[in-house]
Amino acid sequence: MKNYMDMLWVLNLGLGDNNLVKEDILIFEGVVKELLPNAQSKVLLDNGKTLICTVSGKMRKMRIRVLSQDRVKVEVSPYDLTRGRISFRY
């Protein structure tokens, strides 16, 4: 029982092998093609794929607006390659 409790303690601290690290995020660049409701937009990546992206929380907090035809940096999780997060506007 002690090993099980130690394992839970390590996982709660984020030291286990199951957690995502920041290096697992894929980063792409693209152009905003269409603005959607709820701070979302369709982004055409440089490789030709289209994603539905939301604006990151820091950009919302600083009230950075994203317009159509803006060049942006997009972060994509490897678990869902159809959605992303806009993290920077050039």
Side-chain angles (χ1 to χ4, degrees):
M1 188 68 172
K2 185 175 187 287
N3 291 336
Y4 177 73
M5 294 303 283
D6 288 341
M7 185 176 69
L8 285 179
W9 184 74
V10 169
L11 289 176
N12 286 338
L13 286 179
L15 302 174
D17 295 333
N18 296 347
N19 62 345
L20 270 177
V21 287
K22 191 134 178 133
E23 290 82 28
D24 289 345
I25 295 174
L26 307 171
I27 298 176
F28 297 103
E29 291 186 7
V31 176
V32 176
K33 287 299 177 188
E34 182 181 350
L35 297 175
L36 302 172
N38 295 334
Q40 293 184 343
S41 58
K42 282 190 180 179
V43 176
L44 178 66
L45 300 180
D46 292 340
N47 61 7
K49 303 290 182 187
T50 303
L51 300 178
I52 296 177
C53 298
T54 60
V55 178
S56 70
K58 194 103 169 180
M59 289 179 67
R60 283 187 198 173
K61 184 178 175 184
M62 301 304 287
R63 295 189 178 132
I64 298 173
R65 302 290 180 217
V66 177
L67 302 174
S68 186
Q69 302 301 321
D70 278 349
R71 190 136 182 87
V72 292
K73 180 168 71 171
V74 177
E75 297 176 352
V76 180
S77 169
Y79 298 110
D80 187 6
L81 299 176
T82 62
R83 297 190 170 271
R85 178 176 52 234
I86 297 174
S87 60
F88 189 79
R89 181 184 65 129
Y90 293 105

